[in-house]
Amino acid sequence: MMVPTEKSCVNEGDGKVRSLDEALETISNGCTLMFGGFGGIGTPPTLVEGILQKGVDNLTIIGNDTGFPHIGIGCLVTAGRVKKVIASHIGSNPNAGQMMEQGTMEVVFYPQGTLCEKIRAGGVGLGGILVDVGVGTIMEQGKDTVSIDEKTYLVEPALTADVAIVHARKADPYGNLIYDKSGRNLNPLVAMAGKITIAEVDEIVPLGELDPESIVTPGIFVDMVILSRGVTWEWVWEKKPATE
């Protein structure tokens, strides 16, 4: 994730550009929050910090993982603000594992590919997807199945959220987004699947400045754009080795 340029050629209120406070008004106790990111990379830091400071609680979060204890969405998990997680793994955040074992936080796992497709299906308006992973196992319990060409599939419902939060490198006032390398990860899928989608970006440029061929998420999926204040956590690879 790149450090924000701290410059914006667009003022709050222009197009879809909003303040952090305005964006946080859409995120309330008990809501379902979908987030982009992979181990914290691509997770919007200013929005996560804003949610913490606002005191939002009892969240259901949907995303690839639970970050690290104090990185990415893991900050909300560690603070005890999350009641349920839908993810592909939580192994990088021992606090999440402890909460799951203690029964203080519900965790639902899906294979990463299945999770991504469930989010994508929600974003494009499909009711669900068909998968063969889990057929004949405990994953089949309580789920509908269909048979196509003599092969059995599980019916996995699509995933959507009350609010989706994503991070991008650049945006224009209409919410068209360009991502930064691996920071792209699940963000384009998540951006499509929220009833309200908030994009936190490192730089906001005037309309027409983005190369149309480089835009990954069209602004039609984005409701609000806020300027990032940058990462507030220390990345794992930045930690200095212990000295004797």
Side-chain angles (χ1 to χ4, degrees):
M1 186 184 297
M2 296 182 66
V3 176
T5 61
E6 294 298 336
K7 73 171 185 176
S8 172
C9 299
V10 183
N11 297 316
E12 291 177 6
D14 290 347
K16 298 178 180 179
V17 180
R18 298 290 184 270
S19 68
L20 175 61
D21 287 342
E22 287 177 295
L24 290 175
E25 287 178 2
T26 68
I27 303 172
S28 58
N29 292 342
C31 78
T32 301
L33 183 72
M34 190 178 290
F35 62 95
F38 191 111
I41 300 292
T43 301
T46 302
L47 284 167
V48 169
E49 179 64 23
I51 294 168
L52 276 171
Q53 294 301 322
K54 183 180 177 181
V56 181
D57 200 3
N58 208 34
L59 292 166
T60 294
I61 62 173
I62 303 172
N64 181 71
D65 54 72
T66 50
F68 293 83
H70 300 288
I71 292 176
I73 208 71
C75 299
L76 293 175
V77 173
T78 297
R81 306 293 181 82
V82 178
K83 68 173 182 179
K84 181 177 180 179
V85 174
I86 299 174
S88 69
H89 75 91
I90 60 172
S92 58
N93 189 340
N95 293 335
Q98 184 178 40
M99 293 175 183
M100 179 182 70
E101 291 294 328
Q102 293 173 343
T104 56
M105 184 176 72
E106 181 183 356
V107 180
V108 178
F109 291 111
Y110 289 102
Q112 190 175 78
T114 300
L115 179 66
C116 290
E117 284 299 290
K118 284 165 69 73
I119 294 172
R120 183 192 63 81
V124 298
L126 300 179
I129 60 172
L130 303 181
V131 300
D132 60 359
V133 177
V135 173
T137 72
I138 59 173
M139 291 298 295
E140 189 175 334
Q141 296 176 5
K143 293 184 178 178
D144 294 330
T145 61
V146 298
S147 181
I148 301 176
D149 293 334
E150 300 182 351
K151 186 172 182 178
T152 300
Y153 296 90
L154 302 181
V155 179
E156 285 288 356
L159 286 171
T160 57
D162 297 319
V163 181
I165 58 173
V166 299
H167 182 270
R169 176 68 185 90
K170 291 183 180 182
D172 64 20
Y174 281 8
N176 296 302
L177 305 180
I178 292 177
Y179 299 96
D180 183 27
K181 306 179 185 66
S182 62
R184 174 172 171 174
N185 50 64
L186 269 67
N187 276 300
L189 300 179
V190 169
M192 297 191 299
K195 294 177 182 177
I196 297 174
T197 294
I198 306 168
E200 176 180 330
V201 301
D202 295 337
E203 185 178 358
I204 303 171
V205 301
L207 191 64
E209 186 167 318
L210 296 181
D211 176 7
E213 296 299 323
S214 299
I215 293 171
V216 177
T217 296
I220 189 67
F221 294 112
V222 177
D223 298 283
M224 297 183 183
V225 176
I226 70 162
L227 189 63
S228 180
R229 298 174 182 173
V231 170
T232 57
W233 52 72
E234 182 182 49
W235 294 109
V236 174
W237 59 83
E238 293 176 331
K239 291 184 180 296
K240 297 178 176 62
T243 56
E244 296 182 358

